[in-house]
Amino acid sequence: MRPRMKLYLDGPGGGTFGEGVCRLLEAIAAEGSIREAARLLGRGYRKAWGDIDRAEEAFGRRLVSKSRGGSSGGATELTPFGRELVAAWERFSGEAAAGMEEAFERHLGAIIEGGNRDER
Amino acid sequence: MRPRMKLYLDGPGGGTFGEGVCRLLEAIAAEGSIREAARLLGRGYRKAWGDIDRAEEAFGRRLVSKSRGGSSGGATELTPFGRELVAAWERFSGEAAAGMEEAFERHLGAIIEGGNRDER
DNA sequence: AACCGATATGTTCAACGGTGCATAACGGAC
DNA sequence: GTCCGTTATGCACCGTTGAACATATCGGTT
């Protein structure tokens, strides 16, 4: 029985950033387009687009730089702030998860895993 | 802009324990009944009952000891394991949250809070 | 036996988030 | 100007979740 955690950053005027959007940004950085990134992650473009929109609303800053038209049809790449954010979030979430695991072992590890006795 | 976290414990065969159920258990310990605890927390009895059921399923052990009938109509109290779990969860979640805050300051504190410039 | 209040459980309805479909807009290449 | 692939955006559908309502059951008191 393992613990699980979800991390969020909420903007003051709505909007949210979390693990999902971070993964999406990484995929965009790798693929160069929102559509391809969404396909790679098995998500719909519609939702991916909305997620980015909400994330940018949360920070009040652009995370990606999008362009329409052209021979390629269009493209999307991360802004410098977007790249910085992804890297910082990776460190943040990794460290938070490690601390959580540690706290779990310290306080709940002994309590749980103790078989399935029944008390009445 | 502050970070936020949610913690879960998932049982192998379904069932979940989290902050919500823990609050509910505390309220039950204080009030002596599921119904009164639910009312105190502004939740419906139906959901409270189901939450407890799922939490007990997650651990495979009883968290509360319920009784029906009698002059009082019935009552519910925590099992020793239930009390132990609530106390351990408090320490666990508190420590995890503290570690998360610390990680946030270290890795994201400088990046965020930096005003709302726009980059394009 | 009647009463009362809490547990036990089913059912129905509203809200919400995700998925998918449809379509418009864009702009470089040809 | 046509074509193509991507961004941009609306809408309709659906599964999950929670809220609210409706009973049924239990058992000590009276």
Side-chain angles (χ1 to χ4, degrees):
Chain A
M1 193 172 185
R2 296 224 129 288
R4 184 165 52 92
M5 85 187 299
K6 281 189 178 183
L7 295 169
Y8 308 87
L9 290 179
D10 302 305
T16 301
F17 183 85
E19 188 63 25
V21 186
C22 189
R23 289 278 165 77
L24 181 60
L25 292 182
E26 292 176 302
I28 289 172
E31 298 296 323
S33 85
I34 296 176
R35 179 167 299 276
E36 201 53 38
R39 175 152 34 218
L40 184 65
L41 297 178
R43 271 179 275 181
Y45 171 82
R46 190 66 181 81
K47 172 156 168 47
W49 189 89
D51 286 349
I52 293 172
D53 208 44
R54 256 176 289 125
E56 292 187 327
E57 183 193 358
F59 293 104
R61 304 182 59 173
R62 292 296 178 84
L63 301 176
V64 297
S65 173
K66 295 171 281 191
S67 67
R68 291 198 293 185
S71 63
S72 68
T76 300
E77 60 178 5
L78 301 196
T79 62
F81 177 67
R83 279 192 292 274
E84 196 177 5
L85 176 64
V86 167
W89 176 271
E90 287 301 315
R91 295 194 301 272
F92 161 63
S93 66
E95 204 164 294
M100 188 271 291
E101 290 275 353
E102 192 181 330
F104 174 75
E105 295 300 336
R106 170 155 40 233
H107 299 295
L108 287 169
I111 311 298
I112 305 179
E113 313 288 354
N116 284 8
R117 285 182 297 108
D118 205 290
E119 64 194 68
R120 182 169 306 271
Chain B
M1 193 170 185
R2 295 225 130 284
R4 183 166 54 91
M5 84 187 300
K6 280 189 178 181
L7 296 169
Y8 309 88
L9 290 178
D10 302 305
T16 302
F17 183 85
E19 189 63 26
V21 186
C22 188
R23 291 276 166 76
L24 181 59
L25 292 182
E26 291 176 304
I28 289 172
E31 298 297 323
S33 85
I34 297 176
R35 179 166 300 276
E36 202 51 38
R39 175 153 33 220
L40 185 66
L41 298 177
R43 270 179 275 182
Y45 171 84
R46 190 66 180 80
K47 172 156 168 47
W49 188 90
D51 285 349
I52 293 173
D53 207 46
R54 255 175 289 125
E56 292 187 328
E57 183 193 357
F59 291 105
R61 304 183 61 172
R62 292 295 177 83
L63 301 177
V64 297
S65 173
K66 296 171 281 191
S67 67
R68 290 199 294 185
S71 63
S72 68
T76 300
E77 60 177 4
L78 301 197
T79 62
F81 177 67
R83 279 191 292 273
E84 197 177 5
L85 177 64
V86 167
W89 176 272
E90 287 301 316
R91 295 195 301 272
F92 161 63
S93 66
E95 204 164 293
M100 188 270 292
E101 290 275 354
E102 192 182 330
F104 174 76
E105 294 301 335
R106 171 152 43 232
H107 299 295
L108 287 168
I111 310 299
I112 303 178
E113 313 289 352
N116 285 7
R117 286 182 298 110
D118 206 291
E119 63 193 67
R120 185 168 301 272

